[in-house]
Amino acid sequence: MKKSKKKPEAKAKTPARKKVKASGKTITKNKNPKGMNLADQLEKKLLDRSATIGVIGMGYVGLPLAVEFGRVGFKVTGIDISERAVKIINSGKSHIEDIKNYQVKELTDLKRLKCTTDFSVLKNLDCVTIAVPTPLNKTKDPDVSFILNAVKEIKQYLHKGQLIVLESTTYPGTTEELIMPLLEERGFKVGTDFFLAFSPERVDPGNITYSTHNTPKVVGGVTPNCIKVVKTLYEQVISGVVPVSSTKAAEMVKLLENTFRSVNIGLVNEVALMCDRLEIDVWEVIDAAATKPFGFMPFYPGPGLGGHCIPIDPHYLSWKLRSLNYYARFIELAGDINSGMPEYVVEKISAALNSQKKSLNGAKVLILGVAYKKDIGDVRESPALDILKILERKGAKVSYNDPYVKNLTLDGGNKYKSVEMNAKNVSSADCVAIVTNHSDYSYQWIVDKSKVVVDTRNATKNISNGKAKIFKI
Ligand code: SAJ
């Protein structure tokens, strides 16, 4: 019998390069010890940073998340269908306001962040988070097509030991009723072969206090192993991971957060309509109520509800409940009131023009601020767009200024360019309407130069009336 050749004693390996965890504990890159199940193996790779992370959707949620993972030492692959976004990020730049270029460049230089439109990279990724849009379609029903497209790609490359996390806001049940069956069609068992979880994003665009790394993260898993690995994943980058009992609970947490805002904004918008009829200054009333140190949280009236979340997410919840024969009255009522605010603002502009013996038809109206909230440039679902459209329809000659939004195309096709904020443009307008209260504006100067001002944000609260008459909502 051939003598088996004894393998020369393997040379003692130099100890694996020690890496120091953010917490100061050293971690070493060991081989996966025999006998660990896939969840334990993934957990170990997360702790020693050898796990590879994928983020599908390089938008206002995905890019900050990718940056956080890259910053603590993970190798991150960003996946997006937009060639433009991929190109910008790979060139070391950011295409979203909350992430600065240097934050991307740091990581691309270190080869810790690379983006691609090629989903086949998924076959080499240990963890994949999905941060794609979840809009409403024309009939105000959930449009989960972006999630489904991402999941179909993931399914193709799903492999043992992989963790899939949905972050996009969606109706309760999406993860386990829609995604899980699709992925299990590959013959893998969730919780044993692969792991599936939901963790709502809580990005507040423009918020300089709270960003991804210091906003507590709720996580829900399909099985105990799923919750274990998703908790470990986010614990590497976020202080405060909050596990809940299921993915449905985690999906519902997010919808409660945003429905809470939408309903309270709807309430305060209705209070504004009531105070208008009572000839009471709603802003004074809210400020006074806000002096109550307990049991009250101020919300403020506005021109309507903008953004890609608050006007939309609650309708994911009411849609799901309709399928269970329940009518979510608060959500629908708040939606009615909030979506009626642009019309109310136009009524105020009409009243302001009347005070100057002018009619809306033919009047020159200057809108200040078209972003959906102050100090950002995002116009998605912005009520300013509705106000512009209604004013156009009623024959007004509309222009706008927004330091964050240089150009604007209304879905009807009309194109606008932000006009200069100069005395000529302001004084020549028959009415100036403050729709987004950017901090850049000098409100005293605006009131001094305007014939009449409509203020939808109480931006002129500290301004002496100047020569213009101020109409507040
Ligand atoms: N608005 C009012 N009155 C208020 C507060 C807001 O009219 O008292 C309007 C705003 O002008 C804006 C809209 O409502 O048009 C939404 O405002 P928002 O402050 O909720 O801002 P978003 O939608 O950019 O961010 C929200 C997050 N905001 C906060 O938590 C403060 C949070 O609800 C979510 O984390 C995030 O959406 C999301 O991604 O879901």
Side-chain angles (χ1 to χ4, degrees), residues 330-345:
F330 276 107
I331 293 174
E332 301 300 336
L333 174 63
D336 290 349
I337 291 173
N338 291 327
S339 54
M341 293 309 282
E343 200 69 60
Y344 174 60
V345 170

Side-chain angles (χ1 to χ4, degrees), residues 214-250:
N214 66 347
T215 301
K217 198 89 165 75
V218 169
V219 294
V222 175
T223 72
N225 268 347
C226 298
I227 193 79
K228 175 171 138 170
V229 291
V230 72
K231 189 167 170 289
T232 306
L233 168 71
Y234 286 112
E235 278 169 344
Q236 307 316 304
V237 287
I238 295 174
S239 41
V241 175
V242 182
V244 291
S245 62
S246 67
T247 57
K248 267 172 93 167

Side-chain angles (χ1 to χ4, degrees), residues 39-237:
D40 295 338
Q41 290 178 37
L42 178 55
E43 191 169 46
K44 193 148 194 50
K45 290 177 77 173
L46 287 167
L47 292 171
D48 71 18
R49 302 287 188 275
S50 61
T52 50
I53 311 280
V55 180
I56 299 177
M58 285 284 106
Y60 81 96
V61 174
L63 183 54
L65 189 62
V67 164
E68 292 303 337
F69 280 120
R71 269 182 27 190
V72 298
F74 287 105
K75 202 166 160 42
V76 186
T77 304
I79 304 158
D80 202 295
I81 55 174
S82 157
E83 295 272 0
R84 176 181 167 275
V86 166
K87 202 154 158 272
I88 290 171
I89 296 168
N90 286 342
S91 70
K93 291 196 175 69
S94 164
H95 63 303
I96 62 151
E97 293 178 33
D98 287 351
I99 293 290
K100 303 294 170 249
N101 290 340
Y102 78 86
Q103 291 174 283
V104 176
K105 187 164 185 340
E106 260 169 11
L107 298 174
T108 48
D109 288 353
L110 286 169
K111 307 247 177 297
R112 279 221 211 116
L113 172 62
K114 184 157 176 40
C115 285
T116 178
T117 56
D118 174 8
F119 280 85
S120 68
V121 296
L122 289 166
K123 61 179 176 298
N124 304 317
L125 297 174
D126 296 312
C127 303
V128 183
T129 59
I130 307 168
V132 296
T134 44
L136 294 175
N137 62 23
K138 289 257 178 292
T139 54
K140 275 204 174 262
D141 292 327
D143 172 3
V144 290
S145 61
F146 296 93
I147 293 180
L148 285 174
N149 293 340
V151 171
K152 280 178 192 133
E153 296 288 355
I154 292 171
K155 175 182 169 185
Q156 196 179 344
Y157 303 103
L158 187 66
H159 54 78
K160 286 204 164 194
Q162 202 172 35
L163 166 61
I164 312 298
V165 192
L166 176 61
E167 290 223 354
S168 307
T169 306
T170 183
Y171 61 84
T174 304
T175 306
E176 297 194 23
E177 295 163 14
L178 199 63
I179 299 178
M180 186 170 80
L182 273 174
L183 295 181
E184 287 197 317
E185 280 171 8
R186 282 290 311 277
F188 295 140
K189 185 87 197 86
V190 70
T192 316
D193 302 321
F194 75 99
F195 311 103
L196 182 58
F198 181 84
S199 178
E201 55 88 3
R202 279 175 159 176
V203 173
D204 181 19
N207 190 323
I208 50 177
T209 310
Y210 293 103
S211 59
T212 301
H213 80 279
N214 66 347
T215 301
K217 198 89 165 75
V218 169
V219 294
V222 175
T223 72
N225 268 347
C226 298
I227 193 79
K228 175 171 138 170
V229 291
V230 72
K231 189 167 170 289
T232 306
L233 168 71
Y234 286 112
E235 278 169 344
Q236 307 316 304
V237 287

Side-chain angles (χ1 to χ4, degrees), residues 287-309:
D287 286 347
T291 60
K292 183 178 178 189
F294 50 84
F296 182 80
M297 178 178 181
F299 284 84
Y300 299 95
L305 215 43
H308 29 275
C309 315

